[in-house]
Amino acid sequence: MKSNDWLHGFRHSSPYINAHRGRTVVLTMPGDAIEHRNFINIIHDIALLSSLGVKLVVAFGGRPQIQSRLDDAGLESSFARGLRITPDNHLPMVMEAIGGLRAYLESQLSMGLVNSPMHNARIRVSSGNYVTAKPVGVLDGIDFGYTGRVRRVDTRGIEQLLELGHIVLLPPMGYSPTGDAFNLSYEDVGSQVAAALQAEKLIVFIDDEGLLEEDGSLIRELSARQASERLNDNAVTGHDAALLKAACDACVKGVRRAHIISYVEDGALLEELFTRDGSGTLVSGDNYEQIRQARVEDIGGILELIQPLEEQGVLVRRSREMLETEIDRFVVAERDGTIVGCAALYHYPEEGSGELSCFAVDPSYRRAGRGDEILAMVEKLARGQGVHKLFVLTTQTEHWFRERGFVPTAVQDLPGPKLASYNTQRNSKVFYKPL
């Protein structure tokens, strides 16, 4: 029998396609990825993203290529603080290696063979002096020479190219007003450019499937705060620490999501962007904002949030005593110490279903996607509890739920205990969503 798995996946990718169209995504590509046999598949995936209307910036590195060029010239490399020291006599070889990589990437993105995934792609690739750099200088008595850091990003110039549909290619080089060129780390370029553009996502390629725990298991998700704590505790070391710091810094500066994914695994980029579970490690933005399990000390904030909705008849009234006994069922969205959203999940294990209840978002944050983020958290918790069907009772927000995959059902379809307590005077409509 012919498998239709591809059809199912293609249909379910449409919400993600719509969500990413017109958004800016910054990709950071290490030189090791460019030499890997899977790189041609990454090129094809970049072409596909471009054809789907994603605005792409590619910041690439060239450490192995630079090392090879210096070795050929008989020059010895030195490193400190994870950075290559670039004396003036090394700079020409660095520029030569990076220039060759830029030309190679442009050639790969220009492919259009009839029998290739890039047939008729006609991708326009642009690069230039969009990164102003400054020297690292002397640290711990070590002169880093022409090794630099990002000083300023020409966001207007990059955005104009993105609006024209170009892929913007950024080498690990920056230039100064004095006419000097500096060797930069590609992680710094990617992170700083993503932050300057307020990009929707920063994609960081790595040789593993993502960041790993000590036992080798994949770390699926970290908030910027959790990522910073791991870095401070030296729980992540080596080059992985530099990559995580780049992701964390970008999120703190306004990038909503950073994704650390594999350049070895075919399709990791598409899986991360177009499937629910993704393929690597997600670092989420705003370390002063988080969606988490509620605690007893949140009760005051929850009551303040839901009271106006209770008075309007949107929510069923809940006493402080009830909240105290059911607080473990709640999740909250906290921003800078204030509860700006909440929801509760009631599990009915015999029916394999769960109820989304007491769903509230502060009016000031309803257009910022907080409701969607809280719903995603509840759905994640529900799946973890074995819930196959999530239902909600509502009197005034029918269309919001329908737009998010909930479909109407009869009151009689409610789980037995919920049906027995159904308030006919409220006459709430019932909607469910399969998980």
Side-chain angles (χ1 to χ4, degrees):
M1 181 180 293
K2 183 178 179 181
S3 172
N4 283 332
D5 288 348
W6 71 271
L7 180 60
H8 176 81
F10 189 55
R11 284 173 175 164
H12 283 76
S13 68
S14 59
Y16 302 99
I17 293 173
N18 293 329
H20 291 109
R21 184 180 293 115
R23 305 286 186 172
T24 299
V25 175
V26 177
L27 309 176
T28 62
M29 190 83 62
D32 300 280
I34 299 171
E35 292 187 342
H36 195 273
R37 62 179 180 276
N38 187 52
F39 181 64
I40 187 61
N41 294 319
I42 296 176
I43 288 291
H44 293 160
D45 292 345
I46 289 173
L48 177 58
L49 291 179
S50 179
S51 70
L52 292 173
V54 181
K55 298 176 181 178
L56 294 170
V57 178
V58 180
F60 68 91
R63 287 170 185 166
Q65 293 84 357
I66 292 171
Q67 187 63 52
S68 177
R69 184 65 190 87
L70 291 173
D71 289 344
D72 290 344
L75 298 174
E76 185 175 346
S77 297
S78 298
F79 293 84
R81 296 193 174 198
L83 296 173
R84 183 190 300 275
I85 298 170
T86 311
D88 56 358
N89 64 323
H90 287 198
L91 188 59
M93 271 66 73
V94 171
M95 296 175 69
E96 182 180 312
I98 292 172
L101 279 174
R102 173 181 162 181
Y104 175 71
L105 288 171
E106 289 176 350
S107 71
Q108 295 303 290
L109 288 167
S110 300
M111 287 190 298
L113 295 174
V114 173
N115 61 346
S116 81
M118 296 180 66
H119 180 51
N120 284 332
R122 295 188 177 90
I123 293 173
R124 292 183 176 88
V125 183
S126 295
S127 187
N129 59 337
Y130 298 110
V131 175
T132 301
K134 60 183 178 181
V136 169
V138 179
L139 296 175
D140 300 325
I142 300 172
D143 185 354
F144 280 79
Y146 285 90
T147 298
R149 299 190 189 280
V150 175
R151 178 181 179 184
R152 186 172 61 251
V153 177
D154 180 6
T155 54
R156 183 180 178 187
I158 295 174
E159 287 170 348
Q160 287 176 339
L161 291 172
L162 295 175
E163 288 297 326
L164 293 172
H166 293 215
I167 292 178
V168 178
L169 194 62
L170 297 180
M173 296 291 298
Y175 309 95
S176 73
T178 60
D180 292 313
F182 290 96
N183 179 19
L184 309 179
S185 74
Y186 76 95
E187 306 100 313
D188 188 32
V189 173
S191 179
Q192 298 290 345
V193 169
L197 295 174
Q198 290 292 281
E200 181 74 11
K201 294 180 182 294
L202 170 67
I203 306 294
V204 179
F205 283 99
I206 192 173
D207 56 355
D208 282 314
E209 56 182 324
L211 292 179
L212 305 179
E213 298 279 14
E214 290 185 2
D215 62 3
S217 61
L218 176 65
I219 301 172
R220 282 287 181 183
E221 186 171 346
L222 292 170
S223 67
R225 178 180 298 170
Q226 291 169 328
S228 180
E229 289 172 352
R230 283 179 178 256
L231 290 169
N232 291 336
D233 294 340
N234 292 319
V236 182
T237 58
H239 192 218
D240 285 1
L243 295 173
L244 181 57
K245 185 177 186 304
C248 184
D249 288 348
C251 288
V252 168
K253 293 177 182 177
V255 177
R256 291 195 65 189
R257 300 284 187 271
H259 306 256
I260 302 175
I261 64 172
S262 172
Y263 63 74
V264 176
E265 181 183 350
D266 186 14
L269 176 58
L270 300 183
E271 184 179 353
E272 183 68 18
L273 294 182
F274 297 125
T275 66
R276 184 182 65 198
D277 296 328
S279 65
T281 300
L282 168 68
V283 180
S284 55
D286 281 356
N287 63 349
Y288 57 90
E289 179 175 346
Q290 57 178 324
I291 297 174
R292 56 170 174 78
Q293 290 279 171
R295 301 186 289 260
V296 173
E297 53 265 33
D298 299 321
I299 291 176
I302 295 174
L303 284 170
E304 185 177 346
L305 178 68
I306 66 177
Q307 183 179 359
L309 297 174
E310 291 176 343
E311 293 173 351
Q312 297 167 25
V314 176
L315 294 179
V316 176
R317 289 189 179 274
R318 282 175 169 80
S319 65
R320 176 178 287 272
E321 291 74 20
M322 179 182 290
L323 283 175
E324 287 176 353
T325 60
E326 298 182 348
I327 194 64
D328 60 333
R329 302 175 188 267
F330 277 76
V331 298
V332 294
E334 177 192 359
R335 183 180 177 89
D336 205 17
T338 301
I339 302 301
V340 298
C342 69
L345 173 65
Y346 293 85
H347 188 195
Y348 297 88
E350 292 185 3
E351 290 85 355
S353 61
E355 179 188 7
L356 171 64
S357 184
C358 199
F359 193 3
V361 178
D362 186 296
S364 301
Y365 296 92
R366 287 176 187 166
R367 293 188 177 182
R370 298 303 180 282
D372 290 295
E373 293 172 355
I374 294 171
L375 176 59
M377 178 69 165
V378 172
E379 291 179 357
K380 179 180 178 181
L381 291 173
R383 284 191 290 269
Q385 295 177 20
V387 171
H388 303 296
K389 183 170 74 172
L390 190 66
F391 69 88
V392 62
L393 279 69
T394 181
T395 58
Q396 299 182 33
T397 53
E398 168 185 345
H399 287 280
W400 191 90
F401 287 107
R402 294 187 72 160
E403 290 167 5
R404 285 149 182 83
F406 286 80
V407 295
T409 187
V411 173
Q412 289 72 24
D413 292 334
L414 289 170
K418 186 64 183 179
L419 181 60
S421 63
Y422 178 79
N423 187 340
T424 56
Q425 290 184 334
R426 281 182 60 83
N427 195 28
S428 300
K429 294 183 178 180
V430 183
F431 295 84
Y432 82 93
K433 181 179 183 179
L435 299 180

